[in-house]
Amino acid sequence: MNMEIEQLQFEGIDNKRPIVIAGPCSAESREQVLNTATALAAKGVKIFRAGIWKPRTKPGGFEGVGAVGLPWLKEVKQTTGMLTATEVATPYHVFEAIKAGIDILWIGARTVANPFAMQELADALKGTDIPVLVKNPVNPDLELWIGALERIYNAGIKKLGVIHRGFSSYEKKLYRNLPLWHIPIELKRRYPNITVFCDPSHIGGKRELVAPIAQQALDLKFEGLIVESHCNPDCALSDAAQQLTPEVLDFTLNMLVIRDNAQTTENINILRKQIDDIDEQLLTILAKRMRISKEIGIYKKEHNMPILQSGRYNDILENRSKQGQSMNLSPEFVTEIMKSIHEESVKVQMEIMK
Ligand code: PEP
Ligand code: MN
């Protein structure tokens, strides 16, 4: 579906750095909210986040203070001038958040994965023009993410942005949620106008990963960052391990390198021309390989031979990956390419056999 999404025009810390949304995972008390917000505002942060209703994996965890926390956010707005943002998961949340003057809503990863919940939220948002940020669903499904955006867009919300917060996986090695960068990159390719935020806190799950992940997002030209920051992270009631103090957040933001888009030099254009030429050669060679593969298919048909000869297939995979390695190509990469070429050959030969 073609969506005419409006680019979000929020003020950054300065005009060079990304749009920054920062604040605690959860609003816990009036004091914690105001202390954190005041410290962030002093560092130039213009948008304050705090979860009022918290989707928790298991019952018994801290599920947010609920609507009693909304006046605290109103106070943040009045005393610091920051915009405020919170997560909504039900029509009741939407109603209460808008009534309390919240400026930006976001929809959490678990909610985005559920089309019924998304439709209910979209219906509740009809007639408003509040900016909405849609997090990626927990599962790496780009169409589901886009479907959620379409539901909100169809409700008349044009100020739409997305938050890349990574994808759940069974194994938790380095990341809490795998970044799978190609998914937000593909979303941005399809909807160039959409404002993309990275949430390095939920991707990394640990304080020390916030800076490197945020840097990667900036290198990919994401427009914004949403980062969890708490005045006393070690005592946070949710996501303690990944929250930064406002001071450390400020230090981190100052360290990030902003690369200059306008610096496309002559040299890179020459290199790109070489890549274009090589791609053409690759395609010509691939087409030639496919023609030969077709001839083999005809031969197999005439001699009543099966298409798949696993001995031959294994030899190809093994030899090519060794050959590739001697040319400095990773064996995994070569194996993937050869598998994909072989799959296409089998398809072509099956057509011939029919
Ligand atoms: C959050 O932002 O605190 C949150 C719960 O995020 P997610 O929906 O990405 O898990
Ligand atoms: Mn959190």
Side-chain angles (χ1 to χ4, degrees), residues 58-80:
K58 288 186 181 153
F62 174 63
E63 297 194 318
V65 290
V68 294
L70 289 168
W72 308 337
L73 296 187
K74 207 171 195 172
E75 220 176 316
V76 165
K77 211 169 137 164
Q78 282 159 356
T79 57
T80 67

PDB file of all heavy atoms in Angstrom, residues 58-80:
ATOM      1  N   LYS A  58       6.280 -11.904  32.248  1.00  0.00           N
ATOM      2  CA  LYS A  58       5.647 -12.774  33.255  1.00  0.00           C
ATOM      3  C   LYS A  58       4.863 -11.951  34.265  1.00  0.00           C
ATOM      4  O   LYS A  58       5.254 -10.814  34.564  1.00  0.00           O
ATOM      5  CB  LYS A  58       6.719 -13.575  33.985  1.00  0.00           C
ATOM      6  CG  LYS A  58       7.318 -14.642  33.100  1.00  0.00           C
ATOM      7  CD  LYS A  58       8.276 -15.513  33.871  1.00  0.00           C
ATOM      8  CE  LYS A  58       8.873 -16.542  32.940  1.00  0.00           C
ATOM      9  NZ  LYS A  58      10.184 -16.967  33.388  1.00  0.00           N
ATOM     10  N   PRO A  59       3.782 -12.518  34.802  1.00  0.00           N
ATOM     11  CA  PRO A  59       3.041 -11.766  35.815  1.00  0.00           C
ATOM     12  C   PRO A  59       3.907 -11.623  37.074  1.00  0.00           C
ATOM     13  O   PRO A  59       4.832 -12.411  37.289  1.00  0.00           O
ATOM     14  CB  PRO A  59       1.821 -12.657  36.095  1.00  0.00           C
ATOM     15  CG  PRO A  59       2.236 -14.024  35.680  1.00  0.00           C
ATOM     16  CD  PRO A  59       3.242 -13.861  34.572  1.00  0.00           C
ATOM     17  N   GLY A  60       3.599 -10.623  37.846  1.00  0.00           N
ATOM     18  CA  GLY A  60       4.352 -10.467  39.100  1.00  0.00           C
ATOM     19  C   GLY A  60       5.442  -9.432  38.987  1.00  0.00           C
ATOM     20  O   GLY A  60       5.932  -8.926  39.984  1.00  0.00           O
ATOM     21  N   GLY A  61       5.855  -9.091  37.745  1.00  0.00           N
ATOM     22  CA  GLY A  61       6.851  -8.028  37.577  1.00  0.00           C
ATOM     23  C   GLY A  61       6.158  -6.680  37.745  1.00  0.00           C
ATOM     24  O   GLY A  61       4.944  -6.604  37.944  1.00  0.00           O
ATOM     25  N   PHE A  62       6.934  -5.628  37.681  1.00  0.00           N
ATOM     26  CA  PHE A  62       6.376  -4.282  37.821  1.00  0.00           C
ATOM     27  C   PHE A  62       5.628  -3.922  36.532  1.00  0.00           C
ATOM     28  O   PHE A  62       6.238  -3.831  35.468  1.00  0.00           O
ATOM     29  CB  PHE A  62       7.517  -3.297  38.086  1.00  0.00           C
ATOM     30  CG  PHE A  62       7.080  -1.868  38.107  1.00  0.00           C
ATOM     31  CD1 PHE A  62       6.179  -1.414  39.069  1.00  0.00           C
ATOM     32  CD2 PHE A  62       7.555  -0.963  37.159  1.00  0.00           C
ATOM     33  CE1 PHE A  62       5.771  -0.089  39.085  1.00  0.00           C
ATOM     34  CE2 PHE A  62       7.159   0.364  37.177  1.00  0.00           C
ATOM     35  CZ  PHE A  62       6.261   0.801  38.141  1.00  0.00           C
ATOM     36  N   GLU A  63       4.334  -3.759  36.615  1.00  0.00           N
ATOM     37  CA  GLU A  63       3.553  -3.558  35.383  1.00  0.00           C
ATOM     38  C   GLU A  63       3.202  -2.094  35.134  1.00  0.00           C
ATOM     39  O   GLU A  63       2.280  -1.782  34.382  1.00  0.00           O
ATOM     40  CB  GLU A  63       2.307  -4.453  35.405  1.00  0.00           C
ATOM     41  CG  GLU A  63       2.739  -5.917  35.421  1.00  0.00           C
ATOM     42  CD  GLU A  63       1.650  -6.919  35.124  1.00  0.00           C
ATOM     43  OE1 GLU A  63       0.531  -6.743  35.628  1.00  0.00           O
ATOM     44  OE2 GLU A  63       1.940  -7.872  34.375  1.00  0.00           O
ATOM     45  N   GLY A  64       3.968  -1.212  35.748  1.00  0.00           N
ATOM     46  CA  GLY A  64       3.747   0.218  35.535  1.00  0.00           C
ATOM     47  C   GLY A  64       2.803   0.775  36.587  1.00  0.00           C
ATOM     48  O   GLY A  64       2.025   0.041  37.185  1.00  0.00           O
ATOM     49  N   VAL A  65       2.891   2.111  36.770  1.00  0.00           N
ATOM     50  CA  VAL A  65       2.046   2.707  37.813  1.00  0.00           C
ATOM     51  C   VAL A  65       0.624   2.943  37.303  1.00  0.00           C
ATOM     52  O   VAL A  65      -0.293   3.162  38.082  1.00  0.00           O
ATOM     53  CB  VAL A  65       2.631   4.044  38.327  1.00  0.00           C
ATOM     54  CG1 VAL A  65       3.902   3.806  39.125  1.00  0.00           C
ATOM     55  CG2 VAL A  65       2.886   5.015  37.176  1.00  0.00           C
ATOM     56  N   GLY A  66       0.455   2.936  35.972  1.00  0.00           N
ATOM     57  CA  GLY A  66      -0.871   3.199  35.410  1.00  0.00           C
ATOM     58  C   GLY A  66      -1.174   4.693  35.351  1.00  0.00           C
ATOM     59  O   GLY A  66      -0.280   5.537  35.557  1.00  0.00           O
ATOM     60  N   ALA A  67      -2.459   4.998  35.126  1.00  0.00           N
ATOM     61  CA  ALA A  67      -2.858   6.388  34.837  1.00  0.00           C
ATOM     62  C   ALA A  67      -2.447   7.405  35.917  1.00  0.00           C
ATOM     63  O   ALA A  67      -2.316   8.591  35.607  1.00  0.00           O
ATOM     64  CB  ALA A  67      -4.368   6.454  34.602  1.00  0.00           C
ATOM     65  N   VAL A  68      -2.184   6.948  37.145  1.00  0.00           N
ATOM     66  CA  VAL A  68      -1.761   7.924  38.175  1.00  0.00           C
ATOM     67  C   VAL A  68      -0.441   8.602  37.802  1.00  0.00           C
ATOM     68  O   VAL A  68      -0.125   9.680  38.322  1.00  0.00           O
ATOM     69  CB  VAL A  68      -1.589   7.302  39.594  1.00  0.00           C
ATOM     70  CG1 VAL A  68      -2.902   6.816  40.160  1.00  0.00           C
ATOM     71  CG2 VAL A  68      -0.530   6.212  39.592  1.00  0.00           C
ATOM     72  N   GLY A  69       0.332   7.970  36.889  1.00  0.00           N
ATOM     73  CA  GLY A  69       1.616   8.562  36.498  1.00  0.00           C
ATOM     74  C   GLY A  69       1.476   9.643  35.437  1.00  0.00           C
ATOM     75  O   GLY A  69       2.423  10.406  35.198  1.00  0.00           O
ATOM     76  N   LEU A  70       0.315   9.718  34.804  1.00  0.00           N
ATOM     77  CA  LEU A  70       0.175  10.683  33.700  1.00  0.00           C
ATOM     78  C   LEU A  70       0.355  12.141  34.147  1.00  0.00           C
ATOM     79  O   LEU A  70       1.014  12.911  33.442  1.00  0.00           O
ATOM     80  CB  LEU A  70      -1.162  10.468  32.974  1.00  0.00           C
ATOM     81  CG  LEU A  70      -1.204   9.163  32.149  1.00  0.00           C
ATOM     82  CD1 LEU A  70      -2.624   8.844  31.705  1.00  0.00           C
ATOM     83  CD2 LEU A  70      -0.268   9.255  30.942  1.00  0.00           C
ATOM     84  N   PRO A  71      -0.188  12.540  35.316  1.00  0.00           N
ATOM     85  CA  PRO A  71       0.041  13.927  35.746  1.00  0.00           C
ATOM     86  C   PRO A  71       1.525  14.247  35.951  1.00  0.00           C
ATOM     87  O   PRO A  71       1.944  15.391  35.803  1.00  0.00           O
ATOM     88  CB  PRO A  71      -0.730  14.010  37.079  1.00  0.00           C
ATOM     89  CG  PRO A  71      -1.739  12.921  37.013  1.00  0.00           C
ATOM     90  CD  PRO A  71      -1.133  11.829  36.189  1.00  0.00           C
ATOM     91  N   TRP A  72       2.334  13.241  36.296  1.00  0.00           N
ATOM     92  CA  TRP A  72       3.781  13.485  36.455  1.00  0.00           C
ATOM     93  C   TRP A  72       4.385  13.909  35.104  1.00  0.00           C
ATOM     94  O   TRP A  72       5.244  14.781  35.043  1.00  0.00           O
ATOM     95  CB  TRP A  72       4.519  12.231  36.959  1.00  0.00           C
ATOM     96  CG  TRP A  72       3.932  11.623  38.194  1.00  0.00           C
ATOM     97  CD1 TRP A  72       3.152  12.250  39.137  1.00  0.00           C
ATOM     98  CD2 TRP A  72       4.060  10.261  38.615  1.00  0.00           C
ATOM     99  NE1 TRP A  72       2.794  11.352  40.113  1.00  0.00           N
ATOM    100  CE2 TRP A  72       3.343  10.120  39.827  1.00  0.00           C
ATOM    101  CE3 TRP A  72       4.718   9.139  38.110  1.00  0.00           C
ATOM    102  CZ2 TRP A  72       3.254   8.909  40.519  1.00  0.00           C
ATOM    103  CZ3 TRP A  72       4.651   7.939  38.792  1.00  0.00           C
ATOM    104  CH2 TRP A  72       3.914   7.831  39.988  1.00  0.00           C
ATOM    105  N   LEU A  73       3.903  13.264  34.037  1.00  0.00           N
ATOM    106  CA  LEU A  73       4.426  13.622  32.717  1.00  0.00           C
ATOM    107  C   LEU A  73       3.962  15.028  32.329  1.00  0.00           C
ATOM    108  O   LEU A  73       4.685  15.782  31.691  1.00  0.00           O
ATOM    109  CB  LEU A  73       3.989  12.592  31.663  1.00  0.00           C
ATOM    110  CG  LEU A  73       4.533  11.174  31.860  1.00  0.00           C
ATOM    111  CD1 LEU A  73       4.184  10.284  30.678  1.00  0.00           C
ATOM    112  CD2 LEU A  73       6.049  11.195  32.018  1.00  0.00           C
ATOM    113  N   LYS A  74       2.752  15.356  32.735  1.00  0.00           N
ATOM    114  CA  LYS A  74       2.236  16.700  32.471  1.00  0.00           C
ATOM    115  C   LYS A  74       3.126  17.728  33.177  1.00  0.00           C
ATOM    116  O   LYS A  74       3.467  18.772  32.626  1.00  0.00           O
ATOM    117  CB  LYS A  74       0.805  16.789  33.012  1.00  0.00           C
ATOM    118  CG  LYS A  74      -0.049  17.796  32.298  1.00  0.00           C
ATOM    119  CD  LYS A  74      -1.485  17.648  32.738  1.00  0.00           C
ATOM    120  CE  LYS A  74      -2.395  18.384  31.773  1.00  0.00           C
ATOM    121  NZ  LYS A  74      -3.796  18.099  32.059  1.00  0.00           N
ATOM    122  N   GLU A  75       3.536  17.380  34.381  1.00  0.00           N
ATOM    123  CA  GLU A  75       4.391  18.277  35.152  1.00  0.00           C
ATOM    124  C   GLU A  75       5.759  18.429  34.475  1.00  0.00           C
ATOM    125  O   GLU A  75       6.341  19.517  34.468  1.00  0.00           O
ATOM    126  CB  GLU A  75       4.556  17.694  36.557  1.00  0.00           C
ATOM    127  CG  GLU A  75       4.530  18.745  37.632  1.00  0.00           C
ATOM    128  CD  GLU A  75       4.590  18.133  39.029  1.00  0.00           C
ATOM    129  OE1 GLU A  75       3.881  17.124  39.280  1.00  0.00           O
ATOM    130  OE2 GLU A  75       5.348  18.663  39.858  1.00  0.00           O
ATOM    131  N   VAL A  76       6.252  17.329  33.903  1.00  0.00           N
ATOM    132  CA  VAL A  76       7.528  17.383  33.176  1.00  0.00           C
ATOM    133  C   VAL A  76       7.422  18.400  32.053  1.00  0.00           C
ATOM    134  O   VAL A  76       8.308  19.247  31.843  1.00  0.00           O
ATOM    135  CB  VAL A  76       7.878  15.986  32.589  1.00  0.00           C
ATOM    136  CG1 VAL A  76       8.974  16.091  31.541  1.00  0.00           C
ATOM    137  CG2 VAL A  76       8.289  15.027  33.698  1.00  0.00           C
ATOM    138  N   LYS A  77       6.317  18.330  31.339  1.00  0.00           N
ATOM    139  CA  LYS A  77       6.096  19.232  30.217  1.00  0.00           C
ATOM    140  C   LYS A  77       6.068  20.686  30.696  1.00  0.00           C
ATOM    141  O   LYS A  77       6.699  21.565  30.114  1.00  0.00           O
ATOM    142  CB  LYS A  77       4.739  18.854  29.614  1.00  0.00           C
ATOM    143  CG  LYS A  77       4.639  19.091  28.151  1.00  0.00           C
ATOM    144  CD  LYS A  77       3.381  18.437  27.623  1.00  0.00           C
ATOM    145  CE  LYS A  77       2.733  19.392  26.669  1.00  0.00           C
ATOM    146  NZ  LYS A  77       1.753  18.726  25.833  1.00  0.00           N
ATOM    147  N   GLN A  78       5.344  20.897  31.801  1.00  0.00           N
ATOM    148  CA  GLN A  78       5.213  22.272  32.304  1.00  0.00           C
ATOM    149  C   GLN A  78       6.534  22.816  32.840  1.00  0.00           C
ATOM    150  O   GLN A  78       6.868  23.970  32.621  1.00  0.00           O
ATOM    151  CB  GLN A  78       4.148  22.326  33.406  1.00  0.00           C
ATOM    152  CG  GLN A  78       2.744  22.324  32.825  1.00  0.00           C
ATOM    153  CD  GLN A  78       1.704  21.856  33.844  1.00  0.00           C
ATOM    154  OE1 GLN A  78       2.038  21.461  34.960  1.00  0.00           O
ATOM    155  NE2 GLN A  78       0.433  21.896  33.456  1.00  0.00           N
ATOM    156  N   THR A  79       7.277  21.969  33.538  1.00  0.00           N
ATOM    157  CA  THR A  79       8.471  22.516  34.191  1.00  0.00           C
ATOM    158  C   THR A  79       9.699  22.531  33.273  1.00  0.00           C
ATOM    159  O   THR A  79      10.578  23.367  33.454  1.00  0.00           O
ATOM    160  CB  THR A  79       8.824  21.754  35.496  1.00  0.00           C
ATOM    161  OG1 THR A  79       8.994  20.379  35.141  1.00  0.00           O
ATOM    162  CG2 THR A  79       7.732  21.876  36.529  1.00  0.00           C
ATOM    163  N   THR A  80       9.772  21.609  32.311  1.00  0.00           N
ATOM    164  CA  THR A  80      10.997  21.558  31.479  1.00  0.00           C
ATOM    165  C   THR A  80      10.745  22.006  30.038  1.00  0.00           C
ATOM    166  O   THR A  80      11.702  22.272  29.307  1.00  0.00           O
ATOM    167  CB  THR A  80      11.558  20.117  31.388  1.00  0.00           C
ATOM    168  OG1 THR A  80      10.623  19.319  30.656  1.00  0.00           O
ATOM    169  CG2 THR A  80      11.788  19.512  32.756  1.00  0.00           C
TER     170      THR A  80
END
